[in-house]
Amino acid sequence: MSEILSNSINPAFFSILWKGTWETLYMVLVSGIMAVMIGLPLGLWLFATQHKNLSENPLINKLLSATIDVTRSLPFIILLIAIIPFTRWVIGTTIGTTAAIVPLTIAAIPFMARVAENALLDINPGLIEAGMSFGARPMQILLKILLPESLPALINGITLMLISLIGYSAMAGAVGGGGLGTVAINYGYQRFDITIMLATVAILIIIVHLIQYLGNRLSRTLNHQ
Amino acid sequence: MITFEHVSKYFGKNSQRIAALSDVEFSVESGKVFGVIGPSGAGKSTLIRCANLLERPDEGRVIVDGMNLIELTPSDLAQARKKIGMIFQQFNLLSSRTVYENIALPLELDGKDKSSIKQKVLPLLELTGLKSKQDAYPAQLSGGQRQRVGIARALANQPKVLLSDEATSALDPENTHAILRLLKDINEQLGVTILIITHEMEVVKEICHHLAIMEHGKIIEHADVVDFFGNPKTELAQRFIQKVAKDHLPIAVKQRLHSEATPNSNPLWHLSFLGKTSQEPLIAHLMQQLSITLNILQADIELIRDQTMGTMITEVVGSTEQIQAGLKYLQNKGVHVEVIGYVRNPE
C-alpha cells in the first residue's frame, strides 16, 4: 500500500492537484458571483411581485416562479448536456473550465433567486410598513431596508449555493469541464490511482469546510439580532 | 389636522365582505392628542393605517394637513407621508442598523448629506434620552428604549402629525408611563398633532384631549376626555365606566353582585368627583347627617390629563329613603354617581 502511495507521489502529482484545485475554485467562484448578480435581483423581483407586496404583479410572479421551478427540477447532469448549444454560442466551445461556468451559472441562478426570496420573506413585514410610513419608495425599501436586513440570511444561502456548486463542478469535470472532477475521473477512476483519488477527496473536504466556516463567520458578524 | 370623511374599508370578497371600517367620521384639531379606544377587532388598526394610507379606504376621504391623501399620486403620497410620522407596537426597527443609523434612515432616503443628518439626529437623541445608546443595536435595547428609537425616527422628518399604533402595548407599566410622558412632551413642545389607537384606558386618561370609542368598525362615541370620565353622559360612557369598575372589584364582592335589587341587597355606587368637589367632606355628611352607612371598597385619585379626579366604589347601606336622599345630595354637589349593581348579603 505505502509503495503504491509513494510511487504516485511525484512532482506531477502536486501540479495536477494544484491545477485541478484552482480550476474548481475558478469555476465555483465565477459562476457563484454571476449567479448572485443575476439571481439576487430575480429573487427581489420575485418577492416584490408577490400578492400584497411592494409592486404586486401576479403574472410576472407566476412566470418567474414557473421558470425557476423548471430550471431547478432539471438534474444538473441533464442540464449540462441540454444547454450545450447555448454554451457553445456563448463561449465558443463546450470543453474546458470556462465553458463549464455557463451551465453552473444557469443551475445556480434559480437556487440563488429562491434563497433571496426566502431571506426576504423571513423579514418582519412591519419593516416594509415602517419604510412606507416615512415615505420610502418601493425601490428604497428593497435596497435600503430589506436587503441589509436579510444580509445574514443571504450570506448563509450563498454559502449553501457555493457548496452545491462544488458538487456540480465535479459533475461538469466528468464531461470535460476541468477541475478536481476531471482529476478524479482521469487519474482516480480511469487509471485507478487511489492516492490521487483520496487527495481530491481531501481537498474537496477542506474547500467545503473553509467556505462553510467563512460563510458562518461573515453571517454572524453581520447579524445584530 | 386629520379629518376622516365617510371612510369605509372592506375586507374579503362579495358575499363574505366584512366592513373593517364603516362610515367613519372624525377630525383631530391641530396640536391635540386624539385617542381611539376599543376592543381588539374593532377596526382601530385599520383606522390608523388609513390615516397614512398604509391601508387604502374603499370609500371616503382622508384629509391630512389640508390634503386629501386618496387623490395623491404615489410620489406625492410618499412626500406627504414624510410629514406623518408613525410608531408601531413592535417598533419595526432595522436590526442591522444602530440607534443613530435607524433614526437617520428617513433622512438618508431623502438624500440629505451627512452633516445635515447629524444636525437633525443629535437633538432627537437628546429629546428621547438615547444619547448614550446611539451606537447600540436595537437587540441590545429594552422595549422602552426601542420605542424611543421608533419615536425619534418618526420625528426625523419633522412631521406635523404622529400616528401611534398601540405604541405602548408591548411595554410594561413603567415604560408605558415614560413613553406617554415623552409623547406628551412632543405634543406640547413641538406642537405635533398625535393620533393614538390603544386598548388601554390608561393611555387615553393620561395624555389624550379627546377620545373616540370604536366598536364593530364604527366610532360610537366622541368626547372630551375629562368630560368622559368625570361626567359621563351617554349610556355607552356609563356602561364603559361600569365595566371598568366591575373589573377591578374584589372577587368576593363580584360574586355577590347582581343587576337587580332585592330586599336583602344594597346598591353598589361608583362615585367620580371632579375638581373641587373632591375637597369637600361629602362622605362625612352622608354618614353623619343622612345616617347612611358606606362600606368603601375602593378609593382612588387619578390624573385625567391635568385634572385630578377622585373615584370611589362603595356599598351603600340604608333605607330606600335614606339612599334616595344621599343620591340627591351627591348629585347636587356635582358628583357623578353610577349604580354598578346590587350586592346581596349572605342569608
Side-chain angles (χ1 to χ4, degrees):
Chain A
M1 182 73 186
S2 64
E3 216 166 280
I4 303 174
L5 283 178
S6 60
N7 271 351
S8 58
I9 298 180
N10 51 46
F13 170 84
F14 289 109
S15 82
I16 289 163
L17 284 177
W18 190 245
K19 184 165 169 280
T21 306
W22 276 118
E23 282 176 354
T24 293
L25 287 176
Y26 165 73
M27 282 190 286
V28 168
L29 290 181
V30 173
S31 58
I33 289 166
M34 305 247 291
V36 171
M37 275 166 32
I38 303 167
L40 185 58
L42 275 179
L44 298 186
W45 201 16
L46 195 61
F47 173 81
T49 52
Q50 267 169 8
H51 182 55
K52 293 228 165 191
N53 215 318
L54 290 168
S55 61
E56 181 179 348
N57 191 329
L59 185 72
I60 289 183
N61 189 270
K62 286 227 172 69
L63 237 95
L64 267 178
S65 194
T67 316
I68 284 171
D69 287 342
V70 166
T71 322
R72 286 198 65 193
S73 59
L74 278 181
F76 180 69
I77 194 84
I78 294 173
L79 178 88
L80 194 63
I81 297 159
I83 64 160
I84 281 178
F86 177 72
T87 307
R88 181 173 291 127
W89 179 70
V90 175
I91 306 290
T93 174
T94 61
I95 308 288
T97 323
T98 307
I101 286 171
V102 176
L104 285 173
T105 305
I106 285 174
I109 286 170
F111 185 89
M112 187 61 219
R114 285 287 183 216
V115 160
E117 185 200 17
N118 281 318
L120 294 182
L121 282 173
D122 274 346
I123 296 174
N124 167 15
L127 286 181
I128 301 179
E129 291 204 330
M132 285 165 77
S133 82
F134 50 73
R137 290 185 298 278
M139 209 43 143
Q140 291 181 316
I141 292 177
L142 213 53
L143 300 180
K144 294 285 280 187
I145 296 179
L146 298 178
L147 207 55
E149 281 293 294
S150 64
L151 210 51
L154 282 175
I155 299 290
N156 283 335
I158 291 170
T159 308
L160 211 62
M161 178 190 74
L162 289 177
I163 289 171
S164 305
L165 277 175
I166 291 173
Y168 288 168
S169 79
M171 275 190 241
V175 293
L180 289 171
T182 305
V183 173
I185 292 276
N186 288 356
Y187 296 88
Y189 179 68
Q190 281 159 359
R191 292 202 197 165
F192 212 67
D193 186 336
I194 283 181
T195 323
I196 221 155
M197 194 75 200
L198 290 175
T200 50
V201 171
I203 292 170
L204 284 171
I205 290 173
I206 290 167
I207 294 177
V208 166
H209 276 254
L210 205 64
I211 290 176
Q212 189 68 59
Y213 170 77
L214 291 174
N216 286 349
R217 236 186 105 140
L218 188 59
S219 169
R220 254 204 308 274
T221 321
L222 293 170
N223 194 345
H224 296 289
Q225 256 170 3
Chain B
M1 184 55 79
I2 307 172
T3 305
F4 274 51
E5 286 178 5
H6 303 289
V7 173
S8 297
K9 170 80 191 177
Y10 306 97
F11 288 122
K13 282 189 181 141
N14 303 323
S15 59
Q16 282 153 13
R17 209 167 77 148
I18 297 163
L21 294 179
S22 66
D23 203 21
V24 169
E25 287 226 312
F26 69 94
S27 92
V28 184
E29 279 174 57
S30 183
K32 297 286 186 202
V33 182
F34 190 100
V36 178
I37 190 160
S40 55
K44 304 185 302 281
S45 222
T46 310
L47 178 125
I48 202 161
R49 291 155 52 82
C50 281
N52 61 359
L53 291 206
L54 284 183
E55 205 81 68
R56 194 169 270 275
D58 295 312
E59 290 156 22
R61 285 152 45 99
V62 177
I63 298 157
V64 179
D65 197 19
M67 272 183 299
N68 180 7
L69 298 184
I70 293 168
E71 288 168 351
L72 297 179
T73 61
S75 70
D76 285 346
L77 177 63
Q79 215 55 43
R81 279 173 174 157
K82 289 177 183 168
K83 293 294 167 197
I84 311 173
M86 189 169 193
I87 53 176
F88 305 87
Q89 180 173 5
Q90 295 304 331
F91 324 122
N92 294 346
L93 303 176
L94 273 73
S95 66
S96 57
R97 284 178 166 245
T98 62
V99 167
Y100 181 96
E101 291 165 341
N102 262 289
I103 301 170
L105 180 62
L107 301 166
E108 262 176 51
L109 297 185
D110 223 14
K112 298 271 194 312
D113 61 80
K114 278 217 168 86
S115 69
S116 72
I117 288 177
K118 198 169 179 184
Q119 264 176 23
K120 288 196 168 167
V121 175
L122 290 181
L124 288 169
L125 285 166
E126 205 78 63
L127 174 76
T128 49
L130 290 165
K131 200 99 208 288
S132 61
K133 298 281 178 191
Q134 63 168 316
D135 296 320
Y137 285 93
Q140 299 164 305
L141 302 179
S142 72
Q145 289 169 330
R146 286 183 211 180
Q147 194 56 285
R148 287 167 184 277
V149 181
I151 291 171
R153 182 179 67 180
L155 294 177
N157 278 317
Q158 291 166 312
K160 293 180 175 175
V161 172
L162 183 63
L163 307 174
S164 164
D165 185 357
E166 298 275 8
T168 57
S169 301
L171 304 179
D172 59 46
E174 207 169 303
N175 273 313
T176 296
H177 186 70
I179 292 294
L180 291 178
R181 283 210 10 215
L182 177 60
L183 290 176
K184 203 171 170 189
D185 285 349
I186 288 164
N187 168 251
E188 284 164 4
Q189 288 168 21
L190 308 177
V192 176
T193 307
I194 304 181
L195 175 61
I196 288 180
I197 65 155
T198 181
H199 64 271
E200 297 168 307
M201 195 41 95
E202 298 311 311
V203 172
V204 175
K205 275 186 185 172
E206 201 164 333
I207 64 163
C208 295
H209 297 98
H210 293 277
L211 94 168
I213 298 181
M214 256 192 116
E215 211 173 61
H216 306 304
K218 289 195 177 87
I219 286 190
I220 47 177
E221 171 130 359
H222 273 273
D224 179 273
V225 167
V226 176
D227 277 352
F228 183 84
F229 291 102
N231 189 15
K233 288 198 184 76
T234 60
E235 200 202 317
L236 183 92
Q238 289 164 6
R239 225 173 63 207
F240 206 93
I241 284 169
Q242 284 184 15
K243 190 189 171 305
V244 173
K246 269 186 201 163
D247 288 347
H248 289 92
L249 285 177
I251 290 173
V253 179
K254 230 188 256 183
Q255 284 168 343
R256 294 191 287 127
L257 191 67
H258 296 270
S259 55
E260 301 291 327
T262 54
N264 67 340
S265 69
N266 297 314
L268 191 67
W269 285 356
H270 177 273
L271 311 178
S272 10
F273 314 78
L274 200 61
K276 57 181 192 304
T277 49
S278 52
Q279 289 155 22
E280 288 181 47
L282 301 170
I283 302 303
H285 182 93
L286 285 181
M287 296 179 81
Q288 287 163 11
Q289 307 294 316
L290 300 171
S291 312
I292 296 172
T293 307
L294 295 178
N295 174 17
I296 297 172
L297 298 172
Q298 204 178 68
D300 198 8
I301 291 188
E302 284 181 289
L303 214 58
I304 309 283
R305 278 282 319 172
D306 299 318
Q307 292 216 42
T308 46
M309 185 180 88
T311 57
M312 182 182 290
I313 297 175
T314 177
E315 185 183 345
V316 189
V317 186
S319 70
T320 317
E321 293 75 33
Q322 284 171 323
I323 290 173
Q324 278 305 322
L327 193 62
K328 209 162 183 183
Y329 169 75
L330 288 174
Q331 281 168 344
N332 282 337
K333 288 288 179 187
V335 176
H336 186 87
V337 182
E338 206 54 61
V339 181
I340 301 174
Y342 298 87
V343 184
R344 247 172 242 179
N345 290 315
E347 309 277 326

